């Protein structure tokens, strides 16, 4: 594991809150500093037409600049069964996709849900989602969700 030498502290902003952080730091330390939940991602704002940078949740060394801005609340636009949906989560669980689709989860031994997705991020461009799993989402991702009653 890389040890990050503490050079000096800089003022940064995470979700519009001001923090002092050693520079350099790690992605993991930034998630902890900003109290970013396990199913949220942290992004570093970029100027101009450059895309904002995903901060890895690990020991990758991050060089900071005074007044750097980071955020975790990013609206993601997805399509679920042909309908546009919005979420601020960057990971969705099997159950959350069902709730986005149908409004609730029907319980019962004869009810089966099937979730297939495509146009996902490079980590998971397409596939299926099963109970207990989560999937990273991105703008424009498409979900097809079916509920089957085996009776």
């Amino acid at each position: 594991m890389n040890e990050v030498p503490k050079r000096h502290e800089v003022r940064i902003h995470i979700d519009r809150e001001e923090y002092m952080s050693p520079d350099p730091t790690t992605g993991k330390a930034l998630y902890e500093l900003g109290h970013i939940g396990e199913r949220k991602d942290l992004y570093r704002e970029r100027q101009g037409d450059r895309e904002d940078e995903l901060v890895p949740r690990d020991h990758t060394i991050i060089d900071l600049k005074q007044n750097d801005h980071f955020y975790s609340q990013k609206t993601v636009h997805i399509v679920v069964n042909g309908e546009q949906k919005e979420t601020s989560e960057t990971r969705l669980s099997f159950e959350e996709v069902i709730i986005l689709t149908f409004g609730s989860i029907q319980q019962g031994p004869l009810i089966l849900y099937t979730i297939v997705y495509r146009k996902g991020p490079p980590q998971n461009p397409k596939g299926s989602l099963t109970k207990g799993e989560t999937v990273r989402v991105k703008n424009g991702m498409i979900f097809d969700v079916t509920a089957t009653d085996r009776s």
Side-chain angles (χ1 to χ4, degrees), residues 14-142:
I14 301 175
D15 290 335
R16 298 184 178 167
E17 295 288 328
E18 186 176 301
Y19 296 92
M20 295 301 291
S21 174
D23 175 44
T25 189
T26 65
K28 184 174 194 252
L30 288 173
Y31 278 85
E32 290 173 3
L33 181 65
H35 308 287
I36 307 303
E38 284 298 315
R39 296 194 14 234
K40 298 265 187 197
D41 287 328
L42 187 63
Y43 294 87
R44 176 186 246 170
E45 288 185 5
R46 294 295 187 190
Q47 298 299 320
D49 61 357
R50 296 183 352 191
E51 216 167 290
D52 292 343
E53 175 187 359
L54 174 65
V55 176
R57 189 188 292 265
D58 61 16
H59 294 285
T60 299
I61 295 175
I62 308 290
D63 289 313
L64 299 173
K65 294 182 184 80
Q66 185 77 353
N67 288 317
D68 262 345
H69 286 258
F70 297 85
Y71 64 90
S72 65
Q73 299 298 321
K74 181 179 181 180
T75 301
V76 179
H77 301 272
I78 61 175
V79 177
V80 181
N81 286 1
E83 288 186 38
Q84 291 282 335
K85 303 283 183 173
E86 288 184 357
T87 180
S88 62
E89 300 288 339
T90 53
R91 285 189 159 281
L92 289 174
S93 70
F94 177 81
E95 293 79 8
E96 288 168 326
V97 174
I98 293 168
I99 292 168
L100 275 173
T101 307
F102 302 112
S104 65
I105 299 176
Q106 291 184 355
Q107 302 293 330
L110 301 178
I111 299 172
L112 292 176
Y113 291 99
T114 305
I115 301 174
V116 178
Y117 61 85
R118 62 188 184 280
K119 294 189 178 182
Q123 305 90 323
N124 50 274
K126 63 181 179 177
S128 59
L129 189 60
T130 59
K131 189 171 184 173
E133 291 183 335
T134 63
V135 66
R136 185 179 296 275
V137 296
K138 73 167 199 153
N139 278 323
M141 192 166 179
I142 299 171

